Amino acid sequence: MTRKRVRGGGSTGRAVNAGLGAAGLAAFLALGEAVPRLGIVKERYFPPTSRIARALGDQFTEGTFWTDLGDTLTGWALGLAIAVGAGIVVGVVVSVVPYLRETTASTIEFLRPIPSVALIPLAVLLYGTELRSVLLLVVYASFWQVLVQVMYGVRDVDPVAEETARSYGLGTWARVRHVLWPTALPYVMTGVRLAAAVALILTVTAELVIGAPGLGARIAVAQTSQAVPEMYALIVVTGLLGLLINVGARSVERYALAWHQSVRGEVTV
Amino acid sequence: MPPEPPTRPNRWGALPLRVLFVVALPALLFALWWLASDGSTNVYWPPLRTILKTFPDVWTRDRLRADLVPSLLRLLAGYTAAAVVGVGVGTVIGSYRKVRAVCEPVLEFLRAVPPPVLVPVIMLFAGIGDTMKIVVIASGCVWPILLNTIEGVRAVDSVMSETARSYGITGPARIRSVVLPSASPQIFAGLRQALSIGIILMVISEMFAASNGLGFTIVQFQRGFAIPDMWTGILVLGLLGFLLSVVFQLVERRVLGWYHGLRDSSRRSP
């Protein structure tokens, strides 16, 4: 289905929306300040916004925070890159080679819903708290997002265009490059955007559960040492990270698809 | 939206051939795993033969009742709560443009928080019992449902909603017979995303602090170096994920049958 991104309104409408959004955000933060102060929730469980903000500020001055952030980003970026690369290659090959799609369909449908966290015990045994165990989980989880999108994208290729390219004598590679790839690109981009979010979730999860160095492990440490404001501050950091990744992926998508007329039907899996 | 691939005209018609396509690769992979691991002396990669032999010993009826059932009940409770809250709140937010504008940035942020990091926070509030696990599952599942409902509700065809209004269909009747059906394809997309998040959170919340459940048991096996048992646990989780996704597809096909039919026919006649 088509998503209507920005509906009417023009620049004034957008400004009003932004104003309302800022008001909502301010109200949210104020609520976070008021609820513990009024004693509705114990401060020990839910510190007021200002204390979380101070804890956040303290984090920024600590060197170890930046190393952990770097570790998380490394795991995320490497995992995502591997998953996207593998997803595109496998997706295109499977779709282009005759019979491969039919024979792989059942296997893909079976493997895809397997929850990636099922692999946590295996990752721990094989690689301990190394980066590799994070990568195992991240790649497994995000690979399917990309693969399935690529396969949907390739299926969407206009048969007339395909036949035309064939009758002009374009070889397999040229057809992949000039017919298949442009058609599939919007789907690939959706897949990459979904995979980017999933990769972050799995990176942080792996760090949290396995203890591989990174923001997740830092949250686990803050939790066990009862450093509640720090814990909230770190969670805010992961949220901001997720937000940045979403916004970044959307702008990459818009940039890569600048030539593309419509906003594609969004295929979410 | 999970697009059901339009059923392509079947070029190889014959049923046996289609069956072959479905089972060939899984059978091949299974055989490969069996052969490659058969002589394996690596502790971490026990022979498939051993894993399968351990399976019935580990997953006895008692264990299924003690671990699988609590896990599934918690998943069901959390998922249902998330669906009710997500669709309810999403319908409200989606119906009013102003409310949507106010809530959007906050929702975008909350959605961007990786759900598993909420486990420590919710442990603070709810301890380590079943409540904690249900809340964790619900709090992770609610975002895709909520955001997709908002999208779906705001994209309700304006002609349709004007028509309904001029026929005097308002209030709950309007929501039941115009808004929700029209938003349901999007809502189902959200529900589907939420399902996989729910399974992940079910396992993770049990890995943290629990006395039963699939996640708990598998980690127990791993810590006790009962490697074939751990492998059977992984297989069970895989099967569970697969089965739940099949069930979901069946439900979706029933509920959204009209929609897929509509799409297929509009595809066939451009």
Side-chain angles (χ1 to χ4, degrees), chain A residues 227-245:
Chain A
V228 178
E230 282 74 15
M231 186 177 84
Y232 277 97
L234 288 165
I235 290 173
V236 170
V237 173
T238 59
L240 291 177
L241 210 54
L243 207 57
L244 274 180
I245 287 173

Side-chain angles (χ1 to χ4, degrees), chain A residues 1 7 102 106 205 235 268, chain B residues 1 8 22 116 154 186 204:
Chain A
M1 74 222 64
R7 250 212 197 156
E102 276 79 3
S106 60
T205 306
I235 290 173
T268 342
Chain B
M1 200 38 242
R8 307 190 319 148
V22 172
R154 76 182 257 213
Q186 281 259 308
I204 292 194

